[in-house]
Every structure is written in C-alpha cells, then in structure tokens.
Amino acid sequence: MSENETGKSAIWGGRFAGGPSQLMQDINASISYDKKLYRQDIAGSKAHASMLAAKGILTAQDEAAIHQGLTTIEQEINAGEFTFQESLEDIHMNVETRLSELIGDAARRLHTARSRNDQVATDLRLWLRDRIDEIDTALAHLQTALLHQAEAHAATLMPGFTHLQTAQPVTFGFHLMAYVEMIGRDRGRMRDCRARVNESPLGAAALAGTSFPIDRHMTAQTLGFARPMENAMDAVSSRDFAVEFLSTAAICATHLSRLAEEIVIWSTDRFGFISLSDAFTTGSSIMPQKRNPDAAELVRAKPGRIMGALITLLTVLKGLPLAYGKDMQEDKEPVFDAEANLMLAVTAMTGMIADMKAKPEAMAEALKAGHPTATDLADFMVRELAMPFRDAHHASGSIVALADEKGCTLEELSFDEMAAVEPRLTADVMGFLSVEGAAAARTSFGGTAPVEVLRQIAAARKNYQLS
C-alpha cells in the first residue's frame, strides 16, 4: 500500500499509524483481476463527477479537469502505458491515484458522496451488463448455425433415442431443433438476468446513502441503467445479480455439454452419424489413425468450472451480514472466469455445428436395428383394430420378439408371420412399418414430420429473430 512520509496509508488517512504487513497487502489486493473493470470504473467516475457538478458540489472547472484526466488514464491503459500498483489494492485507487498525479486537488474531490462499496458494485453491474449482451449475440449465432443444419436435414432420418437405445425414427433436423429451443430459453434467462443487473448502486455510498444533495437518477440515466436501486444498503451488499448470472450460465453450459456429448457420440466409429474437420479435432501422439473430438470434449467439461463458480459465490455470500464485507471481494474472479469459459464454449460449439457434416447413410443404416417402428405397429392396432393400447403394446412386443428370434426387422417379417401372433391384424399393417412413413406421420405440433420441422424452423426464425 502506498504510504506517506509518516508511514501512514495514503488510502486510510490518519486512522492508522503504520502500514499493513506484506502478507496483508497480498491478501487484500484485488488489482490483479479487477483491473478488468477499468472502463466501467472510469465511466462511473465521469458520471459521478458530472452529477456532482450539476448539483453544485463540484465546480465546472473541477468537472472538466476530472473528465480530461480520466480520458487520459483510459488512453494510457488502452495503450498499455499505465502502471497498475498492487500497493493501491484495486482499480478504484489505481485510477484515483493516477488522476491526482494528473490534475491535483480536483481528483481528491471526486470521491465526495460515494464509497468504494457503491463504486465496485456499479462497475461489476456495468461490466456484466455488457457481457450478457455479448453472450446473447453469441447464443443467437449458435442458434443460427443449428437452424441452418436443421433446415438442410429436415427430412434426414436417424434413430431417436431414449436411454441411448433406439426408440423411434426422427429426423436429424428435428433433433437439432431441440437445441435451438434450449438455447432460446437460455437467451430468455440471460435477458431476465440483465433486467435485474441493470439497476444502479452509484450514490449509495458506504451503506446508508449520503447527506450531500446528489441525484442518483441522473447518474443512473447517464450510465444507461433503468433506475437507481431503492435501498442503499441493498445496493452495496447484494450480489444476487451475479449469482443469477452464474446460475443462468451453468444451465446454458449444461445444454452445451449435452450437445457436445452428442457430437462425441455421433462422431465415433460405432455411430458415424457426423464428421468434424481438422479445425475441431486433434490427433494422437501414438495412434496415427485417431481423430479426436477434443473441442466437443472440452465444451462438455466446461460446466464443471461454471458450476464451481456458482457454488463459490453462493458460499461467499452464505451467512454474510449486511452491509459490505471484504469477503465480497471474492465475487469477481468466479464471475470473470465463468463468463470467459461460457463465451469460449458457445463460440466453439457454433464453430463445430457449422463445421460438422452429416452422414445420412450411416443414420439410415442405424435405423435397421432396434425396431424403431414398434410403436407405430401398436398405434395401428389401436387405430385400425380398436384395441386398447395396453393390449396393442403387448401384441406389438410379441411381434418384436419374433423378429428378434428370426434376426430381422419388423418390415422383413411377412404378414402371415405377424398374423400368427395377432390374428386380428390386416394386410394394411405392412404399409405402416417403414421408418419413412413413421416419421412423416408424426405431424402433431412439435413432432418430427419433415413438414412440421420446417414449421418449427420458420417459427424459430421469427421468435428468436434469426437469419
């Protein structure tokens, strides 16, 4: 910490006779990571200075000097010419100290009617608001990539799975559209979170407001916030907006991880439903034949870090009394790390989806196993023979067992063989056992029929404003 000639802290003033130990400086400093907030800190200081001047608390000359000095500091940081000092603890004191060097006493008036408590809360909200906007844009790009693949494969047949076993025939486009909807809900949660992020703590000061005649609505408007926060103590001590972001990020990362796992499965030799190019795969140091889906595997792993960030912040806040505690300095690193990893995962997934090549022949071959039209056989009995579904289910299962015994598909059984199991069947049943017919018949809203998949694609374009 910077000290004057008497050994007292330049930050703490006259309260302390000496400076802290080096160990205290090490645990107390946050500049190594909160320097990321410099743009937000400077913007908040400019808004605060303008408000103080508008209320007659600062002179116009001081306001002009502060704005000019802060602009210079931002230029220095952008150019890599600014020296961040750990002894000054955080981004706020690093900027304020440099401002004092540039403009003198006017800089020391800037902190009137505010505290580092409301300053840091304001900075983090501004930073997170911008990042949420960037994440939303990235998620929209991912939806668009999924949409384009879904449109190209609206009629490409593949097995639909439950318990990772063949269930019913679906289309590849239908499968991908499920993720378009998942990501759409992620975007909705991000927008909901942004609305609660977008409230201004500035002017709450340390915890109780200030006796100066400030205008918190003015600073909120200047910084693009929807409103100032109603309660000063809540403004400086709440981090639920960051928890909400981490929760939303964890849900989104989980969706990405599920899709990543499918990419891993689909690209294996056993499935071969898709292929990825060299851009998103790696080789082996010992096995020359290998093409490993490492990008997908890493996306699959990212929820571990993001969920960890969520638990970290919840644990920091658990049992923390109002208002501000130094514990809350631990809020930023998990948020920064989660945001960076989520953005990386979204961007990588977008690249993989755009890059992947479907293999319809392999998907069609997979439909020959697992009797995917067994449900259609049961539905035929219900619809055409007026059988109760449970009876039809039993009869269909018996016919499946016969096909297993003979080592063939349902389509390959003769009508006589099926009628021997269920005498009430008619020859019309033979037209209901193809995978093409089974998929095309599922025209219910949200179903897998190609015509319905195309409707879903058009709806998604409209609902999510996608190209």
Side-chain angles (χ1 to χ4, degrees), residues 320-336:
L320 193 63
L322 301 181
Y324 184 85
K326 195 68 172 182
D327 317 50
M328 294 167 71
Q329 185 166 290
E330 297 295 320
D331 62 350
K332 285 171 282 299
E333 284 188 292
V335 172
F336 293 162

Side-chain angles (χ1 to χ4, degrees), residues 12 146 190 414:
W12 313 128
L146 286 163
M190 283 289 175
S414 69

Side-chain angles (χ1 to χ4, degrees), residues 127-156:
W127 181 88
L128 190 53
R129 186 181 69 186
D130 291 344
R131 300 292 84 74
I132 288 173
D133 290 343
E134 292 179 5
I135 290 169
D136 181 70
T137 298
L139 289 173
H141 290 328
L142 174 55
Q143 282 183 300
T144 299
L146 286 163
L147 209 64
H148 290 168
Q149 289 278 18
E151 192 165 37
H153 295 286
T156 300

Side-chain angles (χ1 to χ4, degrees), residues 337-351:
D337 186 75
E339 183 275 334
N341 279 283
L342 180 62
M343 276 294 290
L344 183 59
V346 173
T347 305
M349 183 56 72
T350 303

Side-chain angles (χ1 to χ4, degrees), residues 142-143 145-146 172 175-180 182-183 251-267 274 276 293 295-297 299-300 303 345-346 348-354 356:
L142 174 55
Q143 282 183 300
L146 286 163
F172 191 45
H175 196 126
L176 295 177
M177 285 304 297
Y179 285 103
V180 171
M182 288 185 200
I183 300 302
I251 294 171
C252 181
T254 300
H255 288 157
L256 297 176
S257 184
R258 295 183 74 178
L259 179 53
E261 169 66 358
E262 303 228 67
I263 289 174
V264 171
I265 292 171
W266 291 340
S267 64
I274 65 165
L276 295 171
E297 291 171 355
V299 170
R300 185 175 61 186
V346 173
M349 183 56 72
T350 303
M352 281 186 284
I353 293 299
M356 73 180 183

Side-chain angles (χ1 to χ4, degrees), residues 149-158 170-174 360 436 439 448-451 453-454:
Q149 289 278 18
E151 192 165 37
H153 295 286
T156 300
L157 292 174
M158 67 174 288
V170 299
T171 74
F172 191 45
F174 173 73
E436 293 83 3
T448 192
V451 65
V453 173
L454 292 174

